[in-house]
Amino acid sequence: MKEFLLTDSDFKEVAHLVYNACGIVLGEHKREMVYSRLARRIRERKLTNFSSYLDYLKNHKDQEFDAFINAITTNLTSFFREIHHFEFIKEQFIPAMLKANKHNKRVRIWSAGCSTGEEPYSLAMTLQGAFPSDWDVKILATDLDSNVLAKAQSGIYTAANVNGLDDALLKRWFLTSKDGQSYKVKPKLQQCISFKRLNLLQDWPMKGPFDLILCRNVVIYFDKETKDQLFNRYADILNNQGYLFLGHSETMGKEHVLFKNLGKTMYQKVAHANTI
């Protein structure tokens, strides 16, 4: 017998709240995940079941809602995850930017759903030294979960987190603790990254335009209508012929005429395409 009662109506209410807040669809197959994630919140609030927690959430939204969303959202990442994307950036994207943006010497990249920061730091490592010193190259890293964003901003990782990075990269970009169990990103790598909390389904304060957006392993949790709206918004904020990268299990349907498929979950905005 489980510690807390999760009724069908409780689960439906949780799913409704999460969908309205951030567009994530929680099907019945996510029920066990919802239970395990929210059981911790119930214990912390010294409550007795999911119904009482939902009542508490309703009456203490300012204090609890962020923790509720943080508990549900999934954060799994690693440095240079899906290496083919970073190879494309090095071999195709950087040369294209050096040519296309030589008039303003400006490059903007958005890591949308940056989780604990491995993605934007991997981007920064890839971009370092690729552009002349007088170029303005910046990375915006956003996430809905304030907890993982705090870890990303700290730039501190365990030995397990950096497992797989070669020694040359570790030596160049990380400071190692005396016991060798903790690694901190060097300030030089952090300087080109701005970390911000952002709900992708709400208003975006930034105006862009961006040359590349990485939204990997994020839209897999959205329904088709939400995905379509998000892809259209990405097209609007991308430069002409800007790039959009999705996660390994995500695709964009052929009906999306604003982008052309480059293969391996990489897409390029069709020149002059917009949703207006």
Side-chain angles (χ1 to χ4, degrees):
M1 187 171 177
K2 289 194 171 180
E3 183 180 1
F4 304 114
L5 176 65
L6 172 60
T7 66
D8 289 346
S9 61
D10 290 338
F11 178 74
K12 286 178 182 177
E13 187 172 349
V14 169
H16 177 73
L17 288 169
V18 171
Y19 181 78
N20 283 346
C22 50
I24 292 175
V25 177
L26 296 176
E28 185 62 31
H29 65 293
K30 295 289 187 181
R31 191 180 183 113
E32 287 301 315
M33 182 272 283
V34 166
Y35 181 94
S36 62
R37 300 283 181 88
L38 293 184
R40 302 170 201 164
R41 301 303 310 157
I42 295 173
R43 289 186 206 102
E44 189 162 321
R45 292 302 182 186
K46 297 180 170 57
L47 299 169
T48 57
N49 54 42
F50 277 80
S51 181
S52 60
Y53 177 72
L54 287 167
D55 286 340
Y56 180 88
L57 184 62
K58 190 183 300 180
N59 296 319
H60 301 82
K61 192 169 184 178
D62 288 347
Q63 299 99 311
E64 181 63 18
F65 199 77
D66 283 354
F68 165 72
I69 292 298
N70 288 350
I72 292 294
T73 51
T74 302
N75 297 286
L76 175 65
T77 187
S78 60
F79 286 99
F80 294 97
R81 187 181 187 185
E82 298 179 55
I83 189 63
H84 58 276
H85 285 165
F86 295 95
E87 290 171 348
F88 181 91
I89 290 169
K90 187 175 182 179
E91 298 167 7
Q92 305 291 331
F93 174 76
I94 290 171
M97 291 301 100
L98 285 167
K99 184 177 180 180
N101 293 2
K102 61 184 178 183
H103 61 292
N104 62 6
K105 299 180 179 179
R106 176 186 183 277
V107 177
R108 291 291 183 270
I109 299 175
W110 179 11
S111 169
C114 69
S115 189
T116 45
E118 286 89 338
E119 178 174 280
Y121 289 127
S122 298
L123 284 167
M125 284 185 254
T126 305
L127 297 171
Q128 283 289 336
F131 294 92
S133 58
D134 60 339
W135 278 55
D136 179 19
V137 181
K138 294 285 193 303
I139 298 166
L140 172 66
T142 67
D143 203 279
L144 176 66
D145 188 330
S146 55
N147 292 331
V148 297
L149 204 58
K151 178 175 174 60
Q153 286 181 295
S154 75
I156 299 173
Y157 297 94
T158 66
N161 294 146
V162 301
N163 185 33
L165 283 178
D166 65 49
D167 291 340
L169 284 176
L170 280 175
K171 187 174 181 179
R172 184 179 181 189
W173 297 119
F174 292 84
L175 300 168
T176 310
S177 63
K178 290 181 180 179
D179 62 7
Q181 296 304 304
S182 179
Y183 295 80
K184 180 172 174 55
V185 174
K186 290 183 179 179
K188 185 179 180 183
L189 197 65
Q190 292 178 302
Q191 287 171 359
C192 67
I193 307 172
S194 296
F195 290 97
K196 304 288 182 185
R197 186 165 187 256
L198 182 71
N199 185 332
L200 288 174
L201 303 191
Q202 294 178 356
D203 291 338
W204 297 347
M206 62 283 191
K207 303 300 180 187
F210 290 97
D211 301 290
L212 168 63
I213 297 173
L214 293 90
C215 184
R216 307 190 303 169
N217 307 301
V218 174
V219 301
I220 190 174
Y221 302 105
F222 297 162
D223 60 16
K224 186 178 186 304
E225 181 183 359
T226 304
K227 288 179 189 177
D228 291 347
Q229 291 172 353
L230 192 59
F231 292 151
N232 287 342
R233 293 179 74 189
Y234 283 150
D236 281 341
I237 206 168
L238 276 169
N239 263 324
N240 279 332
Q241 297 182 289
Y243 300 89
L244 173 64
F245 291 176
L246 302 180
H248 64 90
S249 59
E250 300 165 328
T251 58
M252 187 186 299
K254 292 180 180 179
E255 71 274 13
H256 288 280
V257 296
L258 303 177
F259 290 92
K260 62 180 179 181
N261 191 343
L262 303 179
K264 295 185 176 180
T265 61
M266 297 181 291
Y267 298 85
Q268 186 174 25
K269 179 180 172 180
V270 175
H272 307 298
N274 58 63
T275 60
I276 300 172

